[in-house]
Amino acid sequence: MTDTLNYPHFLGSEIPQGSQDDAFFQVLPVPYERTVSYGAGTRLGPSAILDASWQLEMWDGYSRPSDLGIYTCSAVDCQGDEAEVIQRIADATSAILKKGKFPVGIGGEHTVTGGIIQGYLDAGFTDFGVVQIDAHADLRDAYEGNPLSHASVMKRVVDKGIPLFQLGIRAYCEEEMAARKAHDVHYLDADELVPNGISRITLPPDFPKKVFFTLDIDGMDPSVFPSTGTPVPGGLGWYQTLSLFKSVAEQSELIGFDVMEFAPIRGFHAYEFAASQLIYKMMGIVQRTQERHYQVEHGVC
Ligand SMILES: [Mn+2]
């Protein structure tokens, strides 16, 4: 578990570092940790996940996502002014998009997703929605006075007029309930999804076809991932999470995804491996559901 920017590349034990011009999946490590509200350690998430990815098999059980090429970008420099870091994240994301490739963000705290979404806007994406798995609504206008807090990241998204669908939420305040109403946020909370074993959803007919998927790892149950800063009981299971992601992928044109808020626990490498496998399985679902939307050789159509 290192705390440097010299990260290994994703699945580096099995495949060479892809080319930035050719590889479809472009992994963007963002070791950003600034507005911690409880446990710390998300700045170590990207390096731990990339280290653990060397233990993955290329075959994910259904296909070989690595056949599309995986390029691991240099980690975003997260030192300095918050707004400048967010802009650096946006710039790195839009650079990937301008090459017609598929961003896979690895955090870092959930604030990072705000920078990634800004990157889509900067790259000229307009008509897209965001689907979020999370324990927390992240819809506070500011948290402890900070509008760039991880607890406010989805408020920044809906403030930009981007449609939002939330899955697995089970911790929110009245201000966030009001924000859901004010911004027509769609949601299926954990108390509906988990006890009823719901693993498929239908997006509303007017939801944008292009979807960015953000997975805050605390949306999953702490029995699966205790390795996160603000765990909440009653979350989604492993298969349920992947199945929900697949159901969204089947009815959308996915334009990217991220996995945020992973905070490794020293000595418990099972969680690091699980996080890297989750990302690789999500890549596999993208590979198998998005063929109609992209041509491997020419990037996203
Ligand atoms: Mn979150």
Side-chain angles (χ1 to χ4, degrees):
M1 207 184 294
T2 51
D3 192 8
T4 82
L5 296 184
N6 298 318
Y7 295 161
H9 57 274
F10 194 88
L11 200 58
S13 54
E14 299 284 345
I15 56 168
Q17 166 79 312
S19 136
Q20 190 158 21
D21 287 327
D22 295 330
F24 179 70
F25 294 112
Q26 307 244 335
V27 173
L28 182 65
V30 191
Y32 182 83
E33 177 176 352
R34 203 65 68 90
T35 59
V36 178
S37 44
Y38 192 20
T42 56
R43 77 182 190 288
L44 300 171
S47 59
I49 290 171
L50 290 169
D51 277 342
S53 75
W54 285 47
Q55 304 304 319
L56 291 166
E57 305 277 357
M58 284 200 289
W59 180 254
D60 80 343
Y62 301 92
S63 63
R64 283 184 6 164
S66 58
D67 285 352
L68 299 187
I70 302 174
Y71 177 81
T72 304
C73 305
S74 304
V76 175
D77 175 6
C78 294
Q79 306 301 312
D81 178 73
E82 262 177 331
E84 281 172 23
V85 177
I86 301 291
Q87 190 56 50
R88 266 178 233 142
I89 299 166
D91 292 347
T93 306
S94 71
I96 295 168
L97 294 168
K98 284 174 184 163
K99 288 181 186 290
K101 304 306 179 190
F102 188 97
V104 175
I106 304 183
E109 66 170 62
H110 212 170
T111 313
V112 169
T113 301
I116 292 176
I117 299 291
Q118 185 58 47
Y120 282 84
L121 298 172
D122 293 351
F125 281 69
T126 47
D127 186 21
F128 68 98
V130 172
V131 177
Q132 169 199 12
I133 284 181
D134 207 317
H136 312 85
D138 294 350
L139 284 169
R140 294 172 199 249
D141 195 49
Y143 186 65
E144 294 173 345
N146 184 356
L148 295 179
S149 158
H150 64 132
S152 304
V153 61
M154 288 302 137
K155 181 63 165 48
R156 299 288 81 80
V157 168
V158 295
D159 280 348
K160 292 180 169 110
I162 298 169
L164 175 64
F165 200 125
Q166 303 190 303
L167 296 169
I169 314 296
R170 54 201 185 275
Y172 40 71
C173 64
E174 285 152 304
E175 179 194 341
E176 293 176 302
M177 293 302 288
R180 275 182 164 179
K181 280 212 184 80
H183 294 277
D184 290 322
V185 174
H186 303 275
Y187 56 89
L188 272 169
D189 288 340
D191 61 359
E192 180 139 5
L193 289 175
V194 179
N196 296 313
I198 296 169
S199 54
R200 293 192 57 81
I201 61 155
T202 304
L203 294 171
D206 59 348
F207 202 78
K209 283 293 156 242
K210 287 188 168 65
V211 167
F212 181 82
F213 200 104
T214 182
L215 198 166
D216 184 324
I217 213 130
D218 67 29
M220 298 173 74
D221 193 69
S223 60
V224 184
F225 283 116
S227 44
T228 189
T230 41
V232 185
L236 307 177
W238 175 263
Y239 289 105
Q240 188 177 24
T241 300
L242 286 168
S243 177
L244 286 167
F245 178 70
K246 182 169 165 230
S247 81
V248 171
E250 283 169 347
Q251 55 196 299
S252 317
E253 178 186 343
L254 282 186
I255 55 174
F257 70 82
D258 65 33
V259 173
M260 293 292 148
E261 297 280 351
F262 179 77
I265 302 172
R266 195 172 290 277
F268 284 82
H269 55 279
Y271 306 133
E272 297 158 22
F273 179 70
S276 69
Q277 192 175 63
L278 183 70
I279 291 166
Y280 196 57
K281 284 188 171 286
M282 290 169 80
M283 287 178 179
I285 289 166
V286 171
Q287 181 186 33
R288 296 186 296 277
T289 59
Q290 304 295 304
E291 280 138 303
R292 66 192 184 282
H293 298 308
Y294 64 76
Q295 293 169 343
V296 174
E297 258 130 85
H298 304 291
V300 178
C301 299

